[in-house]
Amino acid sequence: MKNIQNIGLGLFLTGLAIFIALVFLGKYELTPQLLDQVIINKGIKSELFIDDLKTNVVEKEFTNPFSFSSQITSALKTANETHKQNSEWDKVIWDKPHSFSYQIAKSAGSGMVKVNKWLFWWLTFGLGIIGALLFIIPKVITLGPAGIKNNGIYHSAATNRGWIGWFAFIFLVGFYILLYFRPDYIVNWVYLVDPISESLNGNPASQWFLYGFLYCTVMTVMAVRMYIKYRHNKYQILRTTSVLFFQIVFAFLIPEILVRFEKPWYDFKNAFPLDYDFFFKWNLDELINSGGLGLFILVWGIVLTLVIVPVMVYFFGKRWYCSWVCGCGGLAETLGDPYRQLSDKSLSAWKFERWLVHGVLVFALVMTGFTLYSYFSGAEAVLGIKTQTIQDVYGFLIGAIFAGVIGTGFYPIFGNRVWCRFGCPLAAYLGIVQRFKSRFRITTNGGQCISCGNCSTYCEMGIDVRAYAQKGENIIRASCVGCGICAAVCPRGVLKLENGPEKGRINPTDVLLGNDVNLMDLVNQK
């Protein structure tokens, strides 16, 4: 079995190496015909930009995306600066430079990757998937008897911030930086999924389709690992199946199929304020102009946020969304599972978490208030602050850096729920409801606790579960996502996830001594 696993690891690393190498391959040539098409499609009126491209780019072959992008973004920046100085606002090209360059590069690219998309798909995605499964599946046997195994987790370079963990950190952070800020560098990666995109939505792939496909692929492969590791725990099997289903069907397949029928791309499970741009002008206009389905989506999004979310949290806690439905949580629970023990359990981390996550929620609500005021009043600014500016700031800091680069990239170093714990505004909203108005709690039997610390060690949200268990105190923390791992790894059955009456849900926080209270009266009250 070890030999099979080693072969699988070799295949995975080979696919990963080829995937990385694709960034540096390919040829790019902007033809006069393609330039004319870009000018018409974009409505470009800048003679400076057009002349610069004709002089330095058109009919010249570039052997890598970096030099090609550099010429286009430089021409764009130079032309825009001149037009702004001369107040020629109609000639300014307002597109983000590297997004604009990506659109040209996608059409101007050539070479063996673009010609042999399926071949290179198998050499990257194919080898990666097969290799990972060959490494994971033999664990059915190598893990041994029933039970959750975390043997050697603090002695592995991959799961204890060793060199493998740091390599994974650098790769993930680098991937997200390229995806969000330098898509023109990863055109070859996008070519790989063009055939899949065309079969689903009828259009060539974008970097976001690549991301969606890769997201689902990684979750599926790592879900197999979850099924094997937690195969004796029905709750974990059902939870993993649920998040996998909602991600693949609701967050990927349905939205792409909607596009094929010329309908708005929409993830029906994505609730505001996680879906922070739901009330942006461009989205509201698109939904309103899309007929019956668009209006249904608009109503559904509002009802989901204001009615369904709090009602479900009341009956089942925030776990119904964070651990059973959410795509961010799904990736954290599958890809991030090997890193859950790295979450900071300190009191200072908890204090920082509360200030930060609720601060993001307030930021999202203020931004949305500005947005709706501008939408209905027609004003561009509120209290002297431009609505577009606050939207751009939120999109960059929270939507891209926090949710993407930090949220996933930091898994191997800071644990798998960095985004959910410190940055997700929806998690903050759910947590407030869960803390003060919910039937969900994790009950503890302090008399059975042996203080082994497994529960605290593997709590991905950084909760010191053992401290509650030792006192026999219910866990009702706003941050708890109800993943159930604490109960699964407890050797004594001390912890239990329950939905019960609100009365008695919040029990005393102090250790009770016999001479302080009539214990029988307390038992009868409960």
Side-chain angles (χ1 to χ4, degrees), residues 143-285:
L143 284 178
I148 300 170
K149 306 296 193 304
N150 286 304
N151 300 351
I153 200 165
Y154 280 108
H155 298 280
S156 170
T159 55
N160 191 29
R161 302 187 181 100
W163 70 270
I164 298 177
W166 281 101
F167 173 80
F169 164 78
I170 293 171
F171 174 79
L172 289 171
V173 169
F175 171 80
Y176 274 92
I177 289 175
L178 291 175
L179 179 74
Y180 280 100
F181 307 114
R182 293 295 185 271
D184 43 346
Y185 295 171
I186 59 173
V187 168
N188 277 338
W189 290 354
V190 181
Y191 285 146
L192 299 177
V193 292
D194 269 345
I196 300 171
S197 177
E198 289 166 356
S199 66
L200 281 176
N201 60 41
N203 302 304
S206 66
Q207 78 267 34
W208 303 117
F209 183 90
L210 166 71
Y211 181 47
F213 178 79
L214 186 60
Y215 204 105
C216 292
T217 300
V218 171
M219 273 190 63
T220 302
V221 171
M222 294 302 287
V224 174
R225 175 188 175 278
M226 291 287 288
Y227 288 138
I228 293 173
K229 180 178 180 180
Y230 299 101
R231 62 191 182 277
H232 306 294
N233 190 300
K234 292 181 179 179
Y235 183 82
Q236 300 304 325
I237 295 298
L238 290 173
R239 192 170 66 90
T240 301
T241 304
S242 177
V243 292
L244 192 62
F245 168 78
F246 279 102
Q247 173 59 33
I248 293 176
V249 176
F250 281 83
F252 185 65
L253 292 179
I254 291 178
E256 296 299 336
I257 293 172
L258 285 175
V259 172
R260 189 177 191 91
F261 291 97
E262 299 182 350
K263 300 298 181 181
W265 191 102
Y266 185 71
D267 178 357
F268 285 90
K269 66 173 180 53
N270 202 11
F272 173 85
L274 180 59
D275 186 9
Y276 67 89
D277 56 6
F278 183 79
F279 293 105
F280 283 13
K281 184 179 185 302
W282 62 265
N283 188 56
L284 292 178
D285 288 342

Side-chain angles (χ1 to χ4, degrees), residues 47-64:
E47 301 88 352
L48 294 176
F49 177 73
I50 295 171
D51 291 341
D52 195 330
L53 289 191
K54 287 182 177 178
T55 302
N56 299 310
V57 180
V58 173
E59 294 187 321
K60 292 185 178 181
E61 186 177 278
F62 296 84
T63 56
N64 62 76

Side-chain angles (χ1 to χ4, degrees), residues 330-397:
L331 190 68
E333 293 295 342
T334 51
L335 175 64
D337 181 71
Y339 309 113
R340 62 173 57 250
Q341 70 280 354
L342 302 177
S343 298
D344 192 342
K345 314 301 192 296
S346 68
L347 182 62
S348 59
W350 181 28
K351 292 179 179 178
F352 180 68
E353 166 196 333
R354 288 184 294 169
W355 279 103
L356 187 56
V357 74
H358 294 107
V360 172
L361 175 60
V362 171
F363 188 1
L365 294 177
V366 169
M367 176 190 66
T368 302
F370 279 34
T371 299
L372 291 175
Y373 176 83
S374 297
Y375 182 78
F376 289 109
S377 69
E380 294 184 357
V382 182
L383 302 176
I385 303 173
K386 287 187 176 181
T387 300
Q388 186 61 51
T389 299
I390 196 172
Q391 290 177 351
D392 292 342
V393 170
Y394 188 95
F396 175 77
L397 292 179

Side-chain angles (χ1 to χ4, degrees), residues 235 311-321 324 434 437-443 474-476 480-482 495-505:
Y235 183 82
V311 168
M312 291 292 286
V313 174
Y314 173 76
F315 285 105
F316 304 107
K318 65 190 288 186
R319 60 174 170 164
W320 81 269
Y321 191 86
W324 287 72
Q434 174 171 280
K437 197 66 177 178
S438 177
R439 296 167 60 88
F440 172 72
R441 83 290 308 271
I442 299 179
T443 58
N474 291 346
I475 300 170
I476 55 170
C480 177
V481 294
L495 304 160
K496 185 178 180 182
L497 282 68
E498 293 186 5
N499 297 318
E502 288 187 72
K503 184 178 180 181
R505 177 173 175 264

